[in-house]
Amino acid sequence: MKNLTEQEREKKFQERIDRGEIIEPKDWMPERYRSQLIRMMSQHAHSEIVGMLPEGNWITRAPSLKRKAVLLAKVQDEGGHGLYIYSGTETLNISREELVGEFLSGKAKYSSIFNYPTLTWADIGAIGWLVDGAAIVNQTALAKCSYGPYARAMVRICKEENFHHKQGYEILATLMKGTEGQKAMAQDAVNRWWWPSLMMFGPSDKDSPNSAELMRWKVKRFSNDDLRQRFIDRTVPQADNIGIKIPDPMLKFNETTSHYEYGPINWEEFYNVIKGNGICNRERMKARRAAHTDGRWVREAAEAYAKKQTAKGIEA
Ligand code: BYC
């Protein structure tokens, strides 16, 4: 690659992608490929970390010891996913401090979905079933993306997300076998989480500025609309199984295409949320900034300990 022009390198890079080769951190890559991956992977990592907040809200109020233990484990898993993806992003030659700094300053985005409040216990079921369900559809595709560290992180994360998805569905299935009040609570949670879950996949293909480039580089293997459709097709029968109604009067199965047709998504709401004006945006950022400030002593102590260990190693 030494004597090649930038254009020739990019051509060779694209040929590698087209042959289905996996790009590893030390391989040559276009600057734009690197920056697009940093944008997308860091947004993903921040989402996992912010995603701990709405569910964390219910740990002290879970209805039984078993539910509390399961929720605690799930929230801990999300934190682990965040750290795992941050490590993957660091292979692109950016430090953890920079990544977290961009998030806390508001420069980097996180998923729109976590700006909605968790009002009842049923919301924990709806998040597991719908939000983790949507994440699995998106991340199963990312497990086949062209960047090795991201793809490998997704394999492990998807295994855990499958467990999260099942626990959420089981919470709703249990409520749907309960009293009229419990059934109404489950339905209300799904009414509030359904549309924001569809927005997780990003804008429609025609309005997605990053998709064409990311698909050419096989970072994205399917378009936003294709993944959204896949999620709807697999989720509607699950709702039917437990007697939950999907809050979309236009939803209907098309026998010819074998897909569900669905009503219009409120994109105005989506753009409003990603601009920072959702119900919980300010609360979420305030909580993360406070956690960063309050956690300073832990970072400092860990650094001091690491330095001491290194010094000991050198002495020995
Ligand atoms: N929210 O050109 P587009 C989890 C932005 S956490 C906010 O289509 P792209 C879990 C987009 O960034 C899992 N912003 O973008 C955790 C772009 O703006 P910029 C989270 C969004 O990148 C805890 C603009 O809109 N999953 O599962 O081609 C508990 C135009 O969009 C959103 C991931 O992060 C959104 N929903 O595609 C429970 C998956 N959608 O950056 C569960 C990884 C779009 O140009 N990310 N935007 O200013 C992806 O797959 C892709 O980045 C997206 C967007 C499909 C989200």
Side-chain angles (χ1 to χ4, degrees), residues 36 39-55 74-75 78-79 81 85 107-115 127-128 131-136 138-139 142 150 154 157 161 164 196-205 207-212 214 220 223-224 227 267 270-271 273-274:
Q36 275 285 44
R39 180 189 65 82
M40 194 169 145
M41 289 173 72
S42 66
Q43 176 174 319
H44 193 162
H46 306 323
S47 304
E48 300 280 359
I49 300 295
V50 180
M52 297 167 79
L53 295 170
E55 289 179 290
K74 179 185 190 297
V75 172
E78 309 298 1
H81 297 172
I85 304 170
K107 188 177 164 221
K109 291 190 169 73
Y110 62 89
S111 183
S112 50
I113 192 77
F114 301 117
N115 294 304
I127 291 183
V131 177
D132 287 276
I136 292 168
N138 173 279
Q139 291 169 182
L142 287 173
Y150 197 19
M154 287 304 112
I157 290 174
E161 299 288 25
H164 298 167
S197 299
L198 299 191
M199 293 173 197
M200 277 178 79
F201 294 93
S204 303
D205 296 349
D207 298 318
S208 164
N210 298 297
S211 277
L214 291 173
K220 273 182 164 179
S223 76
N224 296 358
L227 290 178
W267 291 117
F270 169 77
Y271 288 113
V273 172
I274 66 172

Side-chain angles (χ1 to χ4, degrees), residues 158 203 288:
C158 281
R288 286 314 309 160

